[in-house]
Amino acid sequence: MLAGLDPEQRAAVTAPAGPVCILAGAGTGKTRAITSRIAHRALSGDISPRHVLAVTFTARAAAEMRHRISLLGVRGVQARTFHAAALRQVRYFAPRLLAGRAMPELLDSKVRLVTLAAARVGLRTDRAAARDLAGEIEWAKSSLVEPGEYVVAAARALRDTPHEPAKVADVFTAYEQLKRSNGVIDFEDMLRAAVWGVEEHPDVAEQVRGQYRHFVVDEYQDVNPLQQRLLDAWLGGRNDLTVVGDASQTIYSFTGATSSYLVDFPRRHRNATVVRLVRDYRSTPQVVGLANAVISQARGTEARLRLELSGQRPPGPEPDLRIFTDEPAEANAVAARCRSLIDAGTPAKEIAVLFRVNAQSEAYEKALTEAEVPYVVQGAERFFERAEVRQAMVALRSATRSIPGETPLPTAVVEALTAVGWSPDAPPAGGAARERWEALAALVQLAEEYAATPEVLPIGEAASVERPVTLTDFTEELANRAAQQHVPTVDGVTLASLHSAKGLEWDAVFLVGLAEGTLPTTYAKTVEQVEEERRLLYVGITRARQWLWLSYAAARSPGGRARRPSRFLPQLDRSGGTERAATGTGPARRPERRRTQIMSCRICGATLLAGPDRKLGRCPTCPSDIDDELHERLREWRQRVAGAQKVPAYVVFTDATLTALAERRPGRPEELIAIAGIGPRKLGLYGESVLALVGGAGVDDVCPEKTFEIQS
Ligand code: ATP
Ligand code: MG
C-alpha cells in the first residue's frame, strides 16, 4: 500500500497517532492518503477499524471513501456524512434519551414549513422566496445562531438577507415554533441533538467516545460551526484526528461553512503533523494548466493558501472551449459528444455534465434522452421526486410491517416492489416504462449494496457486533438519501451540480453554461461571493481526468438576449490562427467585440473559432461524414493540378478544404463558395472540375488542361 504513495503522502499515512493535517490541492491524493492511513493503521494492528469514524459532506463522497477503504482490504470502518453519522447516533440513543417517546420525524425540506411560518408573520412567499428564507435559516442554524441573535449575527457576517433582517428573524422564530408543534425536526436539529446527546449525557458520551476513537474528516475546508461542534463533542478533548482539505475548494460558505478551521488547524494543534501535496495524479497537464490559470486569479483569504498543482499524468487533449448560439444547441452538442465518447469506449459512468444550478439539468436530460444516452441526475431532487420512487418508498415502508424481519434485504425489497407491479424483467429499452423500471431497479441494486455493509452496533466500551441490515434500516437509509439527495448510481452519464461534484472524478467532464450571470451567478454580489464562484469553476475543472469541455450559449433560447462568457474563463488565445482556451490569464474576450463572422459547426452547431475548424465547417471532434472515395479522387486531382501549375498542393486547396468538399459534397456553385477556402477566384479556376468530381466524374475526365481553359 505504501508503494503506491509519494513521499509526502507516505508521511501523512505513517504519521503517529495524533493530529494530522493535509493541506493540498485538487487531485493530489488527499482522499487516497486518508483512506490509506486508515487502512495502514488498521492492517498494522495499531487501531481497530470499527473504532474509526471517517466523515465527509456528500453521501456520494462517503460511499467513495467506503469503497476505497474496502479496496484496501479493510472492513468495518464507518465512513459517513456528518448527517448520516449524527442520524445514526441520535436514532440509536433516542429510546434512552427520549424516555420511550418516538423519535420525531426528520423533515426532508424546510420549504413547506417556512412558507407557513412566513405567512404567520405576514409575508407572502412563492417557492423561490421560501427557499431563500429556508437557506437563511439553515445558515443561521449551521452557524449556531439562535433566532434572537440573528439580526446581529447577520449584520456581522455581512449577509445579503432575503428580507429585512428583523423580518427574517421573525420567520425563523415562527418556523421553530411550527416545527415543535408539528413534532418534526430538521437537519440541523438532528446535528444539534447529536451534540446535545454527547455534551449533556455522560453515559452517552462515554459510549460514543468508546466506539469512536480515531477521526478522519475529508473536505475539511467545508465544515460549519455546528459540524465542528459535533466533531469536538465526539473527540471529547482527544486528538486522534486527521483532517484534509483544500482552501481553494471552499464552496459552501454561503451555508455557513468556513475554511478557517482547516487553515487554523496547525495553530490549534501545536503538535500536528502538517503535510502539503502538490502533485496532481488525477488530471492531464492540460487540465491542470487550466485549473492553475483559473485559480491564480483568485483573491482573498482562501487564495493565500492556494498551491500551484503539477500534473503527473501523461499529456492529453487540450480543454475544449465552445460557444453556442443557444442552450438547446449547447445541450445537443454535449449529448452528441457524450454519445461519441461512449461509442469510442468510454463508459457512461465515467462522464459527467456539471452545471451551476439544478435548473440547468433539464435541457441536458432532454438532449441525452434524444441521443439515447443513459444518465443519472445527481444532487437534484429528481430521482426521489419521481412518482414511482415515492410510491416504492411508501410500499417499502408498509412492507416493514408485513415482511418478516429476518428476510434477506434484497429479497424483501424485490418482494415489496413486486407487490406494486415491478418485475425483475426489464421492459424494452427507450420509453417511459423502461425509465420507471430502471429507477426501481436502481433501488434493488442499492438494497444489494446496502445489504453488503452490515450495521455495526456499539455494545459497551470495547466491543461491537455486526447484524444484518433490515428493511427498516433500508427505508430509513432511503429517507436519509432522499433528504440528502443522494441518488443511487446507475450506469449513466452523471448530471450534477458543481457543488455535488466535489471530491469526485470522471474521465470526461463537461462544464456547461459558463456565462456571466450563471457562473458567477447574478446573486454573487460581494467580492467573497464572486471568489466562491471562481472556486466552483476550479472544483469543476479539477474533476476531469482526461477530457474537459467548457461551453456556454450566447443566448438562453434561440434569438434571445446575448450573454457574455464567464469572467473566470482564461483569455482566448487568438494568436497563430487557432483560438482555444489558453492557459494564460486575463479577462475573457467578449464575443460582441469579435469581428470574425460567426460560423457554426454543421454537425453540432458550436461556434467555430479556429481557422482549420472553420474550413472544415465542423469541430474536429465531431464525427466526420466524409465520402472516402470522393476524397481520394479529389486528392489525386489536386496533385495533378498542382503538378501542372508547379505549385505545392495546398496552394490549390488545403487539406481542410479538401476534407470539407468530400464531406459536404457541394452540388451547385453557391454551395461551393460557401465552403471556407473557396473564394470567387478559386471558384472560377476549379469550380467546374470540382462539381464534376462530386457528381461522379473520374480524374481523367476533368483533366488539368480543361481547368486551364476555364481560367483563360
Ligand atoms: P480532491 O481535492 O478533488 O478531493 P484528492 O486530493 O482527494 O482530490 P484523490 O481523489 O485522493 O485526490 O486522488 C486523485 C486521483 O489520483 C485518484 O484517482 C487517485 O487514485 C490518484 N492518486 C492519488 N495518489 C496517487 C499516487 N501516489 N500515485 C498514483 N495515483 C494516485
Ligand atoms: Mg478528495
Side-chain angles (χ1 to χ4, degrees):
M1 183 194 313
L2 293 178
L5 301 169
D6 66 30
E8 292 78 15
Q9 290 173 330
R10 215 171 300 151
V13 168
T14 56
V20 176
C21 176
I22 306 178
L23 285 168
T28 53
K30 295 185 295 297
T31 303
R32 182 188 268 218
I34 48 171
T35 48
S36 303
R37 176 165 165 82
I38 293 169
H40 178 71
R41 295 178 78 192
L43 295 174
S44 64
D46 178 23
I47 60 171
S48 159
R50 60 193 166 76
H51 288 147
V52 177
L53 180 59
V55 272
T56 184
F57 294 86
T58 67
R60 187 152 172 192
E64 173 76 23
M65 266 219 262
R66 276 198 294 278
H67 177 65
R68 293 199 196 180
I69 296 170
S70 71
L71 286 182
L72 296 170
V74 174
R75 276 174 58 89
V77 171
Q78 307 278 309
R80 308 199 174 281
T81 62
F82 271 104
H83 281 124
L87 178 62
R88 224 149 241 257
Q89 182 198 314
V90 169
R91 203 186 285 139
Y92 182 80
F93 290 106
R96 200 188 305 174
L97 298 178
L98 299 177
R101 273 175 296 134
M103 201 181 112
E105 192 195 320
L106 179 62
L107 278 180
D108 64 8
S109 160
K110 291 189 177 61
V111 173
R112 199 180 59 83
L113 279 193
V114 167
T115 308
L116 292 176
R120 267 202 187 175
V121 303
L123 268 185
R124 283 166 56 101
T125 48
D126 59 12
R127 208 179 152 76
R131 247 200 318 253
D132 288 347
L133 280 165
E136 201 51 24
I137 293 174
E138 227 153 80
W139 168 79
K141 297 184 79 165
S142 303
S143 306
L144 304 171
V145 170
E146 301 294 329
E149 302 161 344
Y150 174 79
V151 173
V152 173
R156 200 173 290 150
L158 304 173
R159 295 294 289 180
D160 181 14
T161 60
H163 291 276
E164 197 192 315
K167 202 75 187 167
V168 178
D170 290 345
V171 177
F172 188 5
T173 308
Y175 167 78
E176 291 296 318
Q177 283 163 353
L178 269 170
K179 234 173 2 101
R180 230 165 293 133
S181 57
N182 278 279
V184 294
I185 57 171
D186 63 19
F187 258 0
E188 293 76 30
D189 293 332
M190 218 248 318
L191 286 175
R192 284 160 67 123
V195 171
W196 168 78
V198 176
E199 285 185 354
E200 305 292 328
H201 303 84
D203 57 324
V204 172
E206 193 185 327
Q207 195 168 340
V208 169
R209 290 175 191 156
Q211 173 66 32
Y212 298 127
R213 303 168 191 194
H214 323 286
F215 295 85
V216 171
V217 188
D218 200 357
E219 309 278 356
Y220 191 54
Q221 75 277 358
D222 274 324
V223 76
N224 66 40
L226 176 55
Q227 291 160 335
Q228 179 64 41
R229 174 106 170 234
L230 179 58
L231 184 60
D232 288 335
W234 284 335
L235 279 161
R238 296 168 300 170
N239 70 358
D240 194 345
L241 169 64
T242 303
V243 298
V244 304
D246 176 6
S248 294
Q249 294 186 67
T250 307
I251 55 173
Y252 280 97
S253 306
F254 69 102
T255 65
T258 162
S259 60
S260 61
Y261 296 109
L262 172 71
V263 175
D264 294 338
F265 191 88
R267 262 193 297 280
R268 267 191 299 125
H269 302 267
R270 290 276 171 205
N271 56 339
T273 305
V274 179
V275 176
R276 289 189 166 76
L277 311 172
V278 291
R279 278 181 281 255
D280 182 315
Y281 295 99
R282 174 180 296 143
S283 313
T284 62
Q286 283 72 15
V287 172
V288 170
L290 182 62
N292 281 335
V294 166
I295 207 65
S296 71
Q297 298 293 297
R299 288 175 291 168
T301 326
E302 281 80 13
R304 259 180 265 137
L305 281 161
R306 85 184 140 219
L307 302 150
E308 170 133 348
L309 296 171
S310 125
Q312 302 297 303
R313 293 194 39 175
E318 283 290 337
D320 242 323
L321 174 64
R322 299 291 175 82
I323 308 166
F324 294 88
T325 46
D326 52 63
E327 276 176 4
E330 184 183 9
N332 289 336
V334 167
R337 183 86 179 100
C338 288
R339 177 81 268 158
S340 57
L341 281 167
I342 293 167
D343 291 346
T346 304
K349 65 175 192 313
E350 288 302 341
I351 303 174
V353 179
L354 307 178
F355 35 74
R356 175 65 182 85
V357 288
N358 287 329
Q360 289 171 271
S361 171
E362 208 180 324
Y364 292 89
E365 291 179 45
K366 187 163 167 281
L368 289 169
T369 306
E370 278 165 12
E372 294 185 9
V373 173
Y375 64 85
V376 51
V377 186
Q378 170 89 28
E381 297 132 316
R382 294 240 154 62
F383 181 83
F384 288 104
E385 272 191 355
R386 298 184 68 106
E388 68 275 14
V389 172
R390 288 198 165 262
Q391 218 179 8
M393 284 167 68
V394 172
L396 290 171
R397 262 197 302 274
S398 71
T400 57
R401 289 184 291 274
S402 57
I403 296 177
E406 62 279 6
T407 316
L409 178 62
T411 316
V413 169
V414 170
E415 204 173 299
L417 294 182
T418 309
V420 291
W422 184 81
S423 104
D425 304 316
R434 173 64 172 241
E435 238 176 68
R436 277 195 297 276
W437 182 88
E438 273 177 358
L440 299 188
L443 288 180
V444 174
Q445 197 195 326
L446 186 65
E448 280 162 7
E449 284 164 18
Y450 191 66
T453 51
E455 287 284 278
V456 180
L457 298 177
I459 45 163
E461 157 68 4
S464 53
V465 289
E466 288 190 3
R467 75 165 167 78
V469 287
T470 63
L471 191 56
T472 309
D473 298 326
F474 185 61
T475 56
E476 282 173 358
E477 166 78 12
L478 287 181
N480 190 35
R481 277 175 175 248
Q484 294 195 43
Q485 305 184 356
H486 179 211
V487 173
T489 36
V490 294
D491 184 20
V493 170
T494 298
L495 291 182
S497 68
L498 287 162
H499 279 103
S500 64
K502 202 159 54 120
L504 306 175
E505 57 188 29
W506 293 271
D507 287 341
V509 169
F510 294 81
L511 302 178
V512 300
L514 301 179
E516 279 291 306
T518 307
L519 191 80
T521 143
T522 42
Y523 302 112
K525 297 208 175 75
T526 64
V527 173
E528 289 77 23
Q529 287 166 347
V530 171
E531 286 304 313
E532 183 140 313
E533 299 285 306
R534 188 195 310 279
R535 293 192 295 267
L536 257 181
L537 177 60
Y538 177 72
V539 167
I541 292 172
T542 53
R543 299 309 96 202
R545 296 196 191 103
Q546 180 88 4
W547 292 282
L548 178 62
W549 157 303
L550 308 109
S551 63
Y552 83 97
R556 196 174 299 279
S557 42
R561 201 162 53 85
R563 297 182 298 184
R564 287 183 285 135
S566 168
R567 72 189 75 169
F568 307 134
L569 291 175
Q571 196 171 21
L572 298 173
D573 174 14
R574 296 168 68 86
S575 62
T578 52
E579 301 176 69
R580 285 191 170 281
T583 46
T585 55
R589 202 170 281 261
R590 296 169 182 177
E592 58 264 43
R593 272 203 252 140
R594 205 178 283 133
R595 295 252 174 73
T596 352
Q597 196 193 344
I598 295 282
M599 187 170 169
S600 307
C601 166
R602 75 196 135 79
I603 314 269
C604 73
T607 298
L608 299 173
L609 298 173
D613 303 358
R614 293 170 68 89
K615 276 216 167 130
L616 209 53
R618 63 165 168 83
C619 315
T621 42
C622 273
S624 159
D625 43 6
I626 196 162
D627 178 338
D628 286 324
E629 188 275 327
L630 173 60
H631 196 221
E632 208 29 65
R633 264 187 294 131
L634 284 166
R635 265 182 184 287
E636 203 186 322
W637 166 82
R638 177 178 72 169
Q639 204 179 350
R640 280 204 210 170
V641 175
Q645 296 186 350
K646 301 200 172 41
V647 293
Y650 68 81
V651 173
V652 179
F653 281 139
T654 62
D655 283 351
T657 304
L658 223 55
T659 306
L661 284 170
E663 283 184 354
R664 285 197 253 175
R665 299 182 278 277
R668 288 174 297 136
E670 307 88 88
E671 290 168 10
L672 251 186
I673 199 130
I675 290 178
I678 304 185
R681 197 180 74 88
K682 289 202 176 168
L683 180 70
L685 278 175
Y686 312 125
E688 198 174 318
S689 307
V690 170
L691 290 176
L693 287 166
V694 174
V699 180
D700 291 334
D701 304 333
V702 285
C703 59
E705 287 73 21
K706 201 175 164 205
T707 315
F708 294 125
E709 274 166 31
I710 296 172
Q711 185 189 14
S712 59

